[in-house]
Structures are given as C-alpha cells and as structure tokens.
Amino acid sequence: MILIKRENYRIDNYYIDVIKDKMAAETCKTNLSPQLMFKQSFTGITLKTFVGNWTKNGFWISKFRMQLMQLRPDIIAKFKFGDKSENNMLSIRYSIGFSSLFIGLMWITMFALPFSAFGLTGYLIGLAVMIGGYAVLSIIELENLQETIMEKIMSNVAHKSIETNE
C-alpha cells in the first residue's frame, strides 16, 4: 500500500467505543469470510457500506459497494488506536492498494495503445493522459471515502477532535 494521506485525532475513550460500534454496523468483516469482499465489490449483494478487517490495534476498511464493477481505484483507510496521556489517539491512514495500481496500470496501458498509431511520442502522450486520469480518479475516490467515513463512522465524533494533520 502506498500512503496518500494521514489524519490524527485525539478522542475521549467513550468516542472510541462509538467509532468501533459504528464500524461494526457499517462493515462486512473479511476476516470472517474473505469471499465477502468479492461478493460485495462485484455484485453489491450486501447492504453494508464497507468491506474491512479487524486487527489487534484497530481496523482497516476498503471497497465501497460495486467498486470493482465500476472500475474505481481502491483506496484503503486504516484506523489505528493508540494511547497518549488522558486522551486516546486515532490515526487514519489513507493508502492506495498495490492490486488497484496493478489493475489501473493494465487499463492505462490498454487505453494508451491506440495512441501508438501516432508513434512513440503519441503513445507516451496517451500514457501520460491516462496516468493523469487515474490520478484524478484516485483523488475523487479518496474524497468520497473520507466523506463517507465522516458521515457513517465519525459523524458525532469529528467535532470532538483536537488535531488533524494532512
């Protein structure tokens, strides 16, 4: 995973439990059944918003419903809880997955090939345009994921945050 953005929050212990409860309500847990990620991503069969996994220190989420079917980049948000004095720290790291980059590179190469009719320069220009388009799609997907996280998970907690770093 390639880090895109990081946000840090100081949150009271009570709100960490609220965040965990909201996350459980909005997420299909892939550590219970890995097939759920593919079912949700391709068919949208679940009504949950995210596919995710729980770890010792926190959880990560990814994949809006129908994301793979709509050929959107895969942005992953990893939530990590840690202690710092009286308030707990919540760190959210946004990354793009290697599999998403690999599939994106395949699509970019395929759609840039018609530009090779104009020679090597045409192919390189087509490649640059496609890479720029993928970067724009990634930025849009990052903003959509952040907006959905704020709406579904951190809706009553975000105003309690003291510190946010981009």
Side-chain angles (χ1 to χ4, degrees):
M1 295 185 288
I2 297 171
L3 180 65
I4 299 173
K5 185 176 184 179
R6 181 188 317 228
E7 296 175 342
N8 296 313
Y9 299 96
R10 284 190 202 134
I11 299 177
D12 293 336
N13 288 334
Y14 169 77
Y15 290 109
I16 288 180
D17 292 335
V18 170
I19 289 171
K20 287 180 180 179
D21 290 342
K22 286 182 179 182
M23 180 55 66
E26 293 292 333
T27 305
C28 278
K29 297 162 193 69
T30 60
N31 56 342
L32 299 178
S33 174
Q35 298 89 332
L36 286 175
M37 181 178 287
F38 295 104
K39 282 183 184 177
Q40 184 186 41
S41 298
F42 282 113
T43 65
I45 202 162
T46 181
L47 298 177
K48 306 276 183 160
T49 306
F50 306 106
V51 173
N53 202 346
W54 269 248
T55 64
K56 286 186 255 182
N57 299 329
F59 50 85
W60 60 265
I61 57 174
S62 177
K63 306 266 190 226
F64 287 95
R65 289 178 351 116
M66 302 291 287
Q67 185 165 18
L68 290 178
M69 195 61 120
Q70 296 169 355
L71 301 176
R72 294 182 280 156
D74 181 20
I75 306 295
I76 300 163
K78 183 176 182 183
F79 290 68
K80 186 173 181 180
F81 299 100
D83 278 333
K84 222 176 198 186
S85 67
E86 300 152 7
N87 292 326
N88 278 329
M89 295 295 295
L90 170 63
S91 177
I92 305 174
R93 294 178 45 150
Y94 297 97
S95 306
I96 189 163
F98 285 125
S99 62
S100 180
L101 287 176
F102 180 71
I103 291 171
L105 181 62
M106 288 177 26
W107 282 104
I108 287 168
T109 304
M110 186 175 71
F111 284 117
L113 277 176
F115 292 99
S116 64
F118 300 108
L120 180 61
T121 306
Y123 177 71
L124 293 176
I125 289 172
L127 199 61
V129 167
M130 294 298 150
I131 289 171
Y134 189 79
V136 168
L137 282 175
S138 297
I139 291 168
I140 291 169
E141 196 61 29
L142 173 64
E143 290 172 358
N144 288 341
L145 181 62
Q146 286 178 304
E147 195 175 292
T148 304
I149 286 172
M150 292 307 280
E151 176 187 319
K152 301 269 184 175
I153 298 168
M154 309 235 343
S155 58
N156 295 328
V157 180
H159 67 281
K160 297 290 181 185
S161 66
I162 297 171
E163 171 187 321
T164 303
N165 296 330
E166 292 191 29

